[in-house]
Amino acid sequence: MAKGYWIARVDVRDPERYKDYVAAAKPAFEKYGANFLARGGEHHRLEGGVRARNVVIEFPSLQAAVDCYNSPEYQVAAAIRQEVADAEMVVVEGI
C-alpha cells in the first residue's frame, strides 16, 4: 500500500499561538501514524513563491492522511492554525 503525505507551506503570523496549534494537532498525528520528514528548517527557493515554513508529514496510507485531516481532533487544531497562520496544504499519494 502506498503511503500518503501532507505537504504544507506555512507563514506563521503569531508564533506564540502557533504553539497551541502544534499541541492541539499532536493527538491526531499520533492517532493516524504521522511521521514528520520535514518541519521548518532551512530552505532555498528554486521557482515560484515561498513561505517561511515547509512541512512534509508521512502517513501509513493516503487514506490515513486524509482521515487525519478530516478527524475531529485535527479540525480543532486546524481552527487554531487558520487564525494564526496562512497555509497551503495538499495530500499526495506516495509511490
Side-chain angles (χ1 to χ4, degrees):
M1 175 183 311
K3 293 186 179 190
Y5 297 85
W6 283 17
I7 301 172
R9 299 171 52 235
V10 183
D11 284 331
V12 177
R13 295 188 311 273
D14 184 340
E16 285 304 309
R17 289 268 343 266
Y18 194 79
K19 293 175 186 175
D20 297 337
Y21 158 73
V22 171
K26 186 176 180 181
F29 291 145
E30 290 175 348
K31 180 178 180 178
Y32 290 94
N35 179 33
F36 285 79
L37 301 179
R39 185 187 292 177
E42 183 177 346
H43 65 278
H44 300 273
R45 184 183 74 79
L46 301 176
E47 294 184 28
V50 297
R51 292 203 180 262
R53 186 172 177 79
N54 300 283
V55 180
V56 180
I57 308 171
E58 180 183 70
F59 290 85
S61 67
L62 180 65
Q63 191 61 56
V66 171
D67 290 347
C68 182
Y69 182 84
N70 290 322
S71 71
E73 298 92 344
Y74 185 75
Q75 287 305 303
V76 169
I80 297 168
R81 179 183 42 76
Q82 291 162 357
E83 290 179 9
V84 302
D86 299 310
E88 289 107 23
M89 295 175 58
V90 297
V91 174
V92 298
E93 184 177 34
I95 53 172

